[in-house]
Amino acid sequence: MKEIYNSICTNLPQVQKLTSKREQAIDKFLKEFTKEQFEQICQIANITDFLVGKNDNGWKADFDFLMRIDKATNVLEGKYGNNPKGRNE
């Protein structure tokens, strides 16, 4: 997962270390999503203006943000702005 994120999310902060907390988050994440879906989440996040820091305060999404089930779902559903795939309706 670290390798997928770091290779795709070049516009986001890179993961330096997988902590035990991150390992637990990955285990939980993989109960809800596949690795292929994580690749898709990373691809969307990496080109979504709001998530790459083009927002009022310069905040950027990161690995921990994308590992959250609710946030990953929102990314897939296009809820952060300029997602070219649109919502799955």
Side-chain angles (χ1 to χ4, degrees):
M1 300 292 278
K2 174 184 170 184
E3 290 78 19
I4 292 169
Y5 173 88
N6 281 345
S7 66
I8 296 173
C9 293
T10 56
N11 293 322
L12 301 176
Q14 295 290 282
V15 172
Q16 302 302 313
K17 181 177 181 178
L18 287 180
T19 62
S20 60
K21 183 178 178 182
R22 284 180 170 168
E23 292 283 359
Q24 291 173 349
I26 290 168
D27 290 343
K28 183 177 177 183
F29 183 91
L30 289 174
K31 290 178 182 172
E32 300 289 330
F33 297 102
T34 64
K35 285 186 178 182
E36 291 76 19
Q37 286 174 308
F38 183 61
E39 288 178 11
Q40 184 181 9
I41 290 163
C42 288
Q43 290 166 353
I44 294 168
N46 196 54
I47 60 168
T48 301
D49 287 348
F50 177 77
L51 298 176
V52 300
K54 295 176 183 173
N55 54 60
D56 291 343
N57 59 9
W59 172 87
K60 287 186 176 188
D62 60 14
F63 182 80
D64 301 315
F65 179 86
L66 296 180
M67 280 288 102
R68 291 180 49 188
I69 303 301
D70 59 337
K71 302 304 182 186
T73 300
N74 287 345
V75 170
L76 280 175
E77 292 177 353
K79 294 186 177 176
Y80 290 105
N82 66 333
N83 176 4
K85 297 196 182 263
R87 294 186 176 163
N88 296 328
E89 295 181 9

